[in-house]
Amino acid sequence: MKGHATATGNGFVDPIAAIYRKMLLHPAYSLLILLLGAPVSAIVYVVLQYRKFKYGYKLIAEETRNKLLATGYRDKLLLEAKDQLIRKHRFFGQTVSTGQTELEANRMAEIKFKETFNHELEKRLAGENGLKFSFGDTYHRLALNPAFFTLSVIIGFPMYLLLAIYSMPYLKYVAERMVMSIFVILGVAFLVFTILYISPMNPAANLLGETATAEQIAAFNHLYGLDQPYFVQLWDTIRGIFTFDLGKSFAGNENVTAAIANKFPVTLTLTAISTLIAVLIALPIGIISATRPNSFFDYTFMFIALLGLSIPNFWQALIFILNFSIKLPWLPATYNPENWLSAIMPIVVLGTGLTAAVARMTRSSTLEVIHEDYITTARAKGLARKTVIWKHAVGNALIPIITVIGLQFGGMLGGAAVTEKVFNISGIGSYIVDKQFIPDIPSVMGGVVYTAITISIVNVIVDLMYAFFDPRIRSKMKQY
């Protein structure tokens, strides 16, 4: 029973230790492990130092190094490095001082010498009762003890949660992209805030008017924290973004988070519907054009798509209003959330460019795929044309199409201000435009950053769709 329990314990701990070692090889993950499992890492470090002292690790390492130096191996590496550098400088016609060459050659030789030294040290330690003195091996040795493992789970639960995420390729894939998105959001917040901060426009003077006294402007700046140092204001803004509390707007003294919560869904809904309709129209058009290249349908569809890409949104919106609201009173000229007919023209205007872009990309990508060898092989096997196109060609052609859809969706979401202005839509785009000329820093920051958050989420979804449609990406995810 005891042997069975030990085998079971080893079988449970060994995979965890293997993941632990693997993560230690990646600088970012190793730092996370050490931080999230700080108490566990401290215990492992103390035990590692004790074992090194107990088994004379320092003496063994010193003997191994001296033995390697005695062979003249480092001098040989130094000569090779110098010769390599001299030949490189001569080839590129560079003039480099002897001292600089010496320093660079020493650095190169030391790197190679350390690699060989570590390899020789590992071989010698393995020969002496299989001793291993790495951080990962020490953790593994300790984790085989049930008491330590239980204690480590309690005091280092965040670390084990990270290990669990890393062990699941798909979850790891999502987590990594979410972390990347956080850095993107922070970058956007920093950039937008900095631009607004150094802007020559004065919010207090713009809102209070030319007759405002210096005391009134100072009181305004103190009220909204504009008299604080740059880094204090930046920290307050970033903290407000992640706590969903951006304070009050300069104009109107309204709660910024509440205002964005009322306006952002309008823009998001119109953009999402436009994207869905555009994709449903563009994919069949692009596929038909690709399967019938240089035909009447191909030329007609691609000509219409080119027109769709060329027409400015504001001009198209005005033409629609003139024709379908004034000459033919079929549709309302302005948007009304309670009247679904008023959403038709904005949706069409927003989706025109996307439809054209997706149709052209679908045609191009499908044309490229249907000339691949595996498509020819599928046809040679006698598969029906429809099966070859939909099962083999379209699936492999979707990656660039998905990319275009994701990019265009972000562009539509961030650039809907013109369409919103024309149709009098109270969305996030027109909200940002109205506030930026003050500049109303909390309002602009909220609108831009939360738009960036949505675009980042869309990009994560796009990355997941890559893995769903392309088995090569799924395979790489499991290997990494």
Side-chain angles (χ1 to χ4, degrees), residues 239-316:
R239 184 181 59 187
I241 290 168
F242 287 98
T243 57
F244 299 97
D245 181 16
L246 286 167
K248 303 289 185 179
S249 64
F250 296 166
N253 200 35
E254 62 181 349
N255 186 284
V256 174
T257 305
I260 292 173
N262 290 330
K263 297 177 183 298
F264 189 73
V266 177
T267 303
L268 183 62
T269 302
L270 293 176
T271 304
I273 295 173
S274 300
T275 302
L276 179 62
I277 294 174
V279 170
L280 292 176
I281 295 172
L283 284 179
I285 288 176
I287 294 168
I288 293 171
S289 295
T291 53
R292 300 180 182 179
N294 303 320
S295 65
F296 172 77
F297 294 101
D298 183 24
Y299 285 125
T300 302
F301 288 152
M302 289 305 103
F303 176 73
I304 295 173
L306 184 60
L307 286 178
L309 285 172
S310 305
I311 297 174
N313 281 5
F314 71 90
W315 184 83
Q316 184 185 4

Side-chain angles (χ1 to χ4, degrees), residues 349-410:
V349 170
L350 283 172
T352 299
L354 176 61
T355 305
V358 173
R360 291 178 68 85
M361 179 53 72
T362 303
R363 178 186 182 276
S364 175
S365 184
T366 307
L367 264 177
E368 183 179 346
V369 168
I370 61 178
H371 290 102
E372 295 288 342
D373 292 340
Y374 63 87
I375 298 295
T376 305
T377 303
R379 287 174 176 169
K381 287 181 178 179
L383 295 177
R385 177 181 172 84
K386 185 182 294 185
T387 303
V388 172
I389 294 296
W390 287 102
K391 187 174 180 180
H392 296 280
V394 174
N396 290 299
L398 279 175
I399 296 298
I401 299 169
I402 293 170
T403 303
V404 168
I405 294 171
L407 292 173
Q408 290 286 328
F409 179 86

Side-chain angles (χ1 to χ4, degrees), residues 98-377:
T98 305
Q100 189 174 349
T101 303
E102 286 280 349
L103 286 174
E104 183 66 16
N106 270 297
R107 187 187 65 81
M108 293 170 60
E110 187 62 28
I111 291 173
K112 290 184 179 179
F113 181 80
K114 281 184 178 179
E115 290 176 358
T116 306
F117 164 70
N118 290 331
H119 179 67
E120 291 296 322
L121 181 60
E122 285 180 8
K123 281 173 59 178
R124 180 170 175 183
L125 291 171
E128 299 193 13
N129 299 323
L131 296 175
K132 292 182 179 181
F133 292 100
S134 69
F135 208 87
D137 290 316
T138 304
Y139 165 80
H140 190 186
R141 181 183 291 269
L142 288 171
L144 291 173
N145 185 317
F148 172 82
F149 184 77
T150 304
L151 176 65
S152 69
V153 172
I154 296 172
I155 64 178
F157 181 75
M159 181 189 77
Y160 283 97
L161 185 61
L162 180 63
L163 290 171
I165 292 173
Y166 189 89
S167 66
M168 294 180 279
Y170 294 104
L171 188 58
K172 171 174 167 280
Y173 188 78
V174 175
E176 287 178 343
R177 272 141 188 81
M178 291 300 293
V179 171
M180 290 169 60
S181 297
I182 291 173
F183 283 106
V184 169
I185 293 163
L186 287 172
V188 170
F190 168 76
L191 186 62
V192 173
F193 178 83
T194 303
I195 291 173
L196 292 172
Y197 182 83
I198 63 177
S199 170
M201 292 185 288
N202 188 334
N206 290 340
L207 286 172
L208 299 177
E210 296 179 358
T211 58
T213 64
E215 290 77 11
Q216 290 174 325
I217 291 176
F220 180 95
N221 290 335
H222 180 72
L223 176 64
Y224 291 103
L226 297 177
D227 55 349
Q228 296 293 321
Y230 167 79
F231 288 106
V232 173
Q233 293 187 50
L234 177 62
W235 167 249
D236 289 340
T237 301
I238 291 177
R239 184 181 59 187
I241 290 168
F242 287 98
T243 57
F244 299 97
D245 181 16
L246 286 167
K248 303 289 185 179
S249 64
F250 296 166
N253 200 35
E254 62 181 349
N255 186 284
V256 174
T257 305
I260 292 173
N262 290 330
K263 297 177 183 298
F264 189 73
V266 177
T267 303
L268 183 62
T269 302
L270 293 176
T271 304
I273 295 173
S274 300
T275 302
L276 179 62
I277 294 174
V279 170
L280 292 176
I281 295 172
L283 284 179
I285 288 176
I287 294 168
I288 293 171
S289 295
T291 53
R292 300 180 182 179
N294 303 320
S295 65
F296 172 77
F297 294 101
D298 183 24
Y299 285 125
T300 302
F301 288 152
M302 289 305 103
F303 176 73
I304 295 173
L306 184 60
L307 286 178
L309 285 172
S310 305
I311 297 174
N313 281 5
F314 71 90
W315 184 83
Q316 184 185 4
L318 292 174
I319 293 298
F320 277 16
I321 291 173
L322 286 172
N323 285 280
F324 300 112
S325 297
I326 298 176
K327 289 186 179 180
L328 301 171
W330 294 347
L331 300 171
T334 57
Y335 176 76
N336 182 357
E338 297 179 359
N339 184 359
W340 66 270
L341 289 174
S342 65
I344 293 177
M345 288 195 293
I347 288 172
V348 173
V349 170
L350 283 172
T352 299
L354 176 61
T355 305
V358 173
R360 291 178 68 85
M361 179 53 72
T362 303
R363 178 186 182 276
S364 175
S365 184
T366 307
L367 264 177
E368 183 179 346
V369 168
I370 61 178
H371 290 102
E372 295 288 342
D373 292 340
Y374 63 87
I375 298 295
T376 305
T377 303

